[in-house]
Each structure stands twice: as C-alpha cells, then as structure tokens.
Amino acid sequence: MPYFQTGEVPHGFAFDENGGVIHYKHTIILAVPAANQGTRWGDLFLSFGTAFADAKLGVSVHDGNKWSGIEPWDIPDAGGRVAKKLPTGSQKIAIGRWKKSAGDSVDDNPVSWLIEYL
C-alpha cells in the first residue's frame, strides 16, 4: 500500500549561488522511515513542485550513517513535478532554497515537497 506526505519548503535562501550555507534556519529536515527496510516501507521517492517562478533547491539525504552531500535540484515552474528515488536506508532529508545567481531575490515563491513510499 502506498503512503505519502506533503509540505512546503521554507522561505529564505539556505544556500548561496555556489552552494555555500547562508543559514540553516531556512531549511527543513524530514525524518522518514528508512526506505526499503522490512516489509512495510518500500521504495522512497522525493518530489518537488513550484509555481510563479523556477526554484533551485539543495537536498541532502542521510542513510543512518552519513549525509550524501548537498545536491542541487532545479525545479521548473513550467514543468511537472521533479522526482527522484532515494537510496535504500534513507532516514533524513535536508532541504533548502539555493540562489540561482548572486542577484536572485525570489526566495518566497511556493515550493512544495512530496515523499511517497511505493
């Protein structure tokens, strides 16, 4: 049986245009049941959607031992959801807005996240 939950990415930039941390107060941490562990939880997918402007997000996944590093995700306003399957054992997901350029000032358009277990 599939399971899902959704929410919003906080306003404000967490990362500068080079991926450096501006401030962690603009991030969200999702604590999730470990993917592909046992019979209840299956494959874990993370999706994002945005409106009114494109968004760039920094995403890092913790597998119970270490963080994956911050990976940039480009989320287009004009396209569908952007989704990826997360690795087995994923337990925590850190998400924050990433400046697309030094002059980027759009840090408050709506961006939502969706986690699904299938």
Side-chain angles (χ1 to χ4, degrees):
M1 171 181 256
Y3 300 91
F4 76 94
Q5 185 163 348
T6 189
E8 291 193 31
V9 175
H11 293 176
F13 290 116
F15 306 103
D16 65 22
E17 66 276 11
N18 299 312
V21 175
I22 294 174
H23 204 291
Y24 58 83
K25 71 181 177 182
H26 300 295
T27 62
I28 186 170
I29 305 297
L30 307 179
V32 298
N36 295 309
Q37 303 293 308
T39 58
R40 182 169 184 180
W41 303 106
D43 293 334
L44 173 59
F45 292 85
L46 175 64
S47 303
F48 294 103
T50 187
F52 305 108
D54 293 347
K56 185 172 186 177
L57 302 175
V59 179
S60 187
V61 179
H62 195 280
D63 66 4
N65 295 308
K66 65 184 180 327
W67 287 99
S68 64
I70 300 165
E71 179 184 343
W73 289 39
D74 291 309
I75 316 302
D77 166 47
R81 284 189 288 151
V82 174
K84 292 184 184 179
K85 181 180 172 183
L86 298 184
T88 295
S90 298
Q91 296 180 22
K92 294 188 290 186
I93 306 161
I95 304 164
R97 293 173 188 257
W98 185 316
K99 289 183 106 173
K100 295 186 293 286
S101 67
D104 188 0
S105 62
V106 182
D107 68 348
D108 62 354
N109 65 312
V111 180
S112 65
W113 54 264
L114 168 69
I115 54 171
E116 297 174 279
Y117 285 90
L118 303 175

